[in-house]
Each structure stands twice: as C-alpha cells, then as structure tokens.
Amino acid sequence: MATTFNDENSLFNFVVRDGNGVKGLVDLGVSRVPERYVQPPKERIEKTNNDTSSPHRVAPIDLSKLDGPDREETAEEIIRAAESVGFFQVVNHGVPLELLESLKNAAFRFFEQEAEKKAVFLKGVSPSPHVKYGTSFVPEKEVALEWKDYVSMVYTNDDDALAYWPQYCKEVSLEYLKTSINMVKKILEVLIAKLGVPSEESSEIIEALIGLKMVNMNYYPACPNPELTVGVGRHSDMGALTVLLQDGIGGLYVKIEEEMDDGDDDDDDDDDDSTNIEGKKGQWMEIPPISGALVINVGDTLQIMSNGRYKSAEHRVRTTSRESRVSVPIFTVPKPTQKIGPLPQAVEKDGSPRYREVLFQDYMANFFGNAHHGKKSLHFAHVDYSI
C-alpha cells in the first residue's frame, strides 16, 4: 500500500532532508504525483499528438573533421549552432562508446542503491565538500519541486576523486571527464577564434573558462503523471560549455530564442520568423537521442564573454511514465575567483558591452540562490543591473 504524508513538511523531509529523493517516493508506490511536484500549467511539457514542440533533425557534427581538410566547414557548423540556439550534437568526439555505456550503467547502479547509502553524500554530512547528493535544484526556494535526483562531483585532482567520489561512479566518471576535456578545448578554440582573439591569447582564455570542472549524474524515476511535472525546469547553464550524455529514452527540450535580448520571458511565438535550425523563434525543440553522440550546449559564461554573440541554451527535461532514465553532464565553469565579462574583441565589434564584468563566485551565488526561471540568471551580469 502506498504511504501517504500528513503535510507538505513531512514529504519535504522524507524526500530532501532524509535523502530518500524522488526514487524513495516511487519505491513507496505513489500512484499520483504529490501536490508539491505539480508544476504551473505554463511550465508543463506536453507529450501528445498536439505537442507544439518539434523534433530537431539536424545531423550531428563530426568533430573528427576539425583535424582534416574539412576543418573550416566543420568550424562554421559549430559557430552557426552557437550563434543560433546554443546547442548541437557531436559524433566522433574521442570519448569511447564503451565508456558512455559504462557511465549509464554506473548511474543506474548508484541511484538504485538503498537510500541510506546515497544519503551519506547529502550536503553537510558528505565526506567531501566536492561531492553532493540531492534532489530537484534548490528545493527550499522552489514552489514546485523537480522530478529528479542527482549526485554532483567537482573535480579537484585525481587522488581526491578516487578517494571521495561514490564507488560506483568514480573511475568511469573520472575517465569521462578527462577524455571530454580535449573535445571541449577544441570547440572553444573554434569559438574564441571567431571572436577575433589572437591565437597566442586563446589558450589562457580557454583555461580560464574551464578552470573548474564537475560531473553530475541525473536520475529521473518513472513518473505516474509526467504531464503534471518536469524533470528539470527551464534554465540555462551558468558555465562555458556543457557536455551531456543522454540515454536512449530522451526527454531534453531546447528553446529557440525569441529575441536577441536574453532572458525575455515573452511567450508569444513569432510564427513568421523561421531559423536555419528547422524551428521557429520561441519554439521548443525536442532533442532526440543519437546513439554514440554527445550533446554540447553553450552556457551563460560564454554568452557573456562573447557579448551575446553566442547564445546560452535555455533547456528543460520532461519525465516519462514508461521507465526511469539517466543523463550525465559535464559542466565546465570558471573558478570562483575568476572575473568574467565581454572580451575586448567582442565589444569592439559590437561597439558597446552588453554585460558588466562580474566575479564568477558572485554570479554562481546568484545562480544557485534562485529557482530555475528561464535565462533570468543572465540579468545579474547585464550592464544596467542594479545591485
């Protein structure tokens, strides 16, 4: 028989503070999404025959061509994607396909453990401040919780990772991180060069953009009412580039920006303004999983440093009633002490800066201090932002 909770506090304590997560709710046999997880109608993701989103059908980019005679053409594909929607999929990326399968298996093994074995990594009790197990995004500030559990592992050095990252995850996650970073650097080289940065300055900028790296494992348990909730609410990532491994179930949606002004929450679609990515401005595109491919998306930091030329991708994740699913993102972000602001070359092209220079730890504090709300996080760096 399914367990019931006397009030919202008892549910919150069970899921968040005691570390049972959404997985714990599902294990109890809940037959309907608890009220605390029911999203406002405008935030729900429909998956019906009348779904207004469109599947993204653009072929993935073959990254191996960056090392051959087709380099310029491949670089332009990357640049167009970064300038338009802020995301693309890549194949022949250098990360072994066997490793990607091992990652998905490791994620399932971690989240399918007993709750008490995962709860040892809760904030405040975790053996390392760089490892955190949790649920939703910022549960204390969210009106409606997200149907997701996660474990986050910040990389400092190999020894700490092998000592403190969860047993099922550490070795495979560490290899995933290391093999992906070369790919990230190649992509950033292309994007930074397009901004007019001299090659001798590029390496230093790239190292600043990826000064901190973390691997997350996300778990989306099968949901009794996927139409009422979301796996992740709409948001953009705060860093430079995100590398995402999807499993075969899918559920990722990316929004085509409506206006050049980021953070615009106007929901009116411009039906007459099509783009070169098989979608219309303001429309959500479902990103179907491609076997062996990785998803790359631009984060806020790169949008700021490009003075708005590159677009951080606003995205969200739906749930499914069929089966549980996992995803494994790598986030590359500046170190907290790094200052971020538009590059001089980007400002010179545009005539004026659209963003102010900010300390990344301040930007990060603002990002994690609020619930997901589209690209509102970028407002913190706007030139007209008043502190």
Side-chain angles (χ1 to χ4, degrees):
M1 180 180 294
T3 300
T4 58
F5 297 92
N6 296 328
D7 52 40
E8 283 197 359
N9 285 336
S10 62
L11 181 144
F12 188 89
N13 289 337
F14 175 83
V15 173
V16 179
R17 294 183 180 159
D18 297 340
N20 289 286
V22 182
K23 174 70 161 55
L25 284 179
V26 173
D27 289 345
L28 288 177
V30 291
S31 57
R32 183 171 175 81
V33 167
E35 191 64 30
R36 188 68 189 270
Y37 285 90
V38 175
Q39 295 285 331
K42 69 176 183 177
E43 301 295 344
R44 300 174 192 173
I45 307 173
E46 294 185 10
K47 185 61 177 175
T48 67
N49 293 332
N50 298 320
D51 192 353
T52 57
S53 66
S54 64
H56 184 264
R57 303 186 189 282
V58 176
I61 297 173
D62 185 344
L63 281 189
S64 68
K65 292 184 177 180
L66 284 176
D67 299 320
D70 297 326
R71 176 179 173 81
E72 291 305 315
E73 180 182 339
T74 305
E76 283 303 315
E77 288 184 70
I78 293 171
I79 291 162
R80 282 197 303 271
E83 290 177 340
S84 55
V85 71
F87 104 99
F88 47 98
Q89 298 201 65
V90 295
V91 293
N92 295 325
H93 38 62
V95 183
L97 301 186
E98 298 83 0
L99 175 61
L100 300 183
E101 290 303 312
S102 296
L103 269 170
K104 290 182 279 189
N105 292 336
F108 276 112
R109 288 184 71 190
F110 175 80
F111 289 106
E112 288 172 355
Q113 295 180 103
E114 298 86 347
E116 56 268 23
K117 292 185 178 179
K118 294 176 288 188
V120 298
F121 296 104
L122 285 168
K123 184 178 179 180
V125 300
S126 176
S128 168
H130 303 299
V131 182
K132 179 188 173 184
Y133 162 71
T135 189
S136 201
F137 181 58
V138 281
E140 294 79 8
K141 297 199 173 186
E142 292 168 334
V143 175
L145 298 175
E146 299 173 345
W147 196 264
K148 179 194 80 170
D149 300 332
Y150 70 90
V151 60
S152 175
M153 299 165 280
V154 177
Y155 177 80
T156 51
N157 58 65
D158 288 7
D159 289 343
D160 279 356
L162 294 173
Y164 298 113
W165 289 10
Q167 180 179 353
Y168 290 138
C169 311
K170 57 187 176 184
E171 292 181 357
V172 67
S173 296
L174 188 56
E175 186 179 353
Y176 175 46
L177 178 66
K178 288 187 167 185
T179 54
S180 295
I181 288 304
N182 288 335
M183 170 185 61
V184 169
K185 289 180 178 180
K186 280 187 175 184
I187 295 170
L188 286 174
E189 283 172 5
V190 168
L191 296 175
I192 296 301
K194 187 64 175 180
L195 297 176
V197 176
S199 57
E200 61 269 19
E201 297 178 22
S202 179
S203 294
E204 184 178 350
I205 292 171
I206 290 171
E207 290 303 320
L209 286 171
I210 61 172
L212 193 65
K213 296 167 277 288
M214 64 189 80
V215 184
N216 277 24
M217 287 186 166
N218 300 325
Y219 182 74
Y220 305 95
C223 179
N225 307 104
E227 73 283 359
L228 297 179
T229 189
V230 296
V232 180
R234 55 193 181 93
H235 71 290
S236 54
D237 294 340
M238 66 176 177
L241 288 180
T242 300
V243 179
L244 175 70
L245 169 64
Q246 294 197 83
D247 65 10
I249 299 172
L252 173 64
Y253 288 73
V254 173
K255 188 178 184 181
I256 304 172
E257 285 205 357
E258 296 170 84
E259 304 293 343
M260 290 300 292
D261 183 21
D262 45 72
D264 187 351
D265 281 329
D266 182 0
D267 288 329
D268 294 332
D269 291 350
D270 183 353
D271 292 331
D272 297 324
D273 195 359
S274 62
T275 73
N276 63 350
I277 48 176
E278 295 194 0
K280 298 181 183 299
K281 289 185 177 182
Q283 188 175 35
W284 286 93
M285 296 187 305
E286 184 173 7
I287 312 306
I290 297 175
S291 179
L294 292 168
V295 177
I296 308 293
N297 71 265
V298 173
D300 292 351
T301 296
L302 198 54
Q303 177 159 335
I304 291 168
M305 296 190 77
S306 69
N307 205 36
R309 177 167 187 167
Y310 302 136
K311 305 297 187 294
S312 59
E314 182 176 351
H315 53 288
R316 59 186 183 177
V317 178
R318 66 171 169 82
T319 60
T320 175
S321 61
R322 293 186 292 114
E323 55 187 310
S324 301
R325 60 178 290 263
V326 294
S327 67
V328 189
I330 292 174
F331 300 104
T332 59
V333 304
K335 291 182 178 178
T337 54
Q338 179 72 41
K339 289 183 177 180
I340 59 171
L343 293 169
Q345 295 85 355
V347 174
E348 185 178 350
K349 287 183 179 181
D350 298 336
S352 61
R354 298 181 63 203
Y355 306 97
R356 61 193 180 94
E357 186 177 71
V358 297
L359 195 63
F360 190 69
Q361 65 185 12
D362 294 336
Y363 192 87
M364 189 162 46
N366 177 73
F367 184 86
F368 285 112
N370 297 282
H372 282 147
H373 190 58
K375 294 181 66 172
K376 287 291 187 183
S377 53
L378 268 168
H379 290 183
F380 183 78
H382 278 178
V383 290
D384 58 353
Y385 179 83
S386 58
I387 301 175

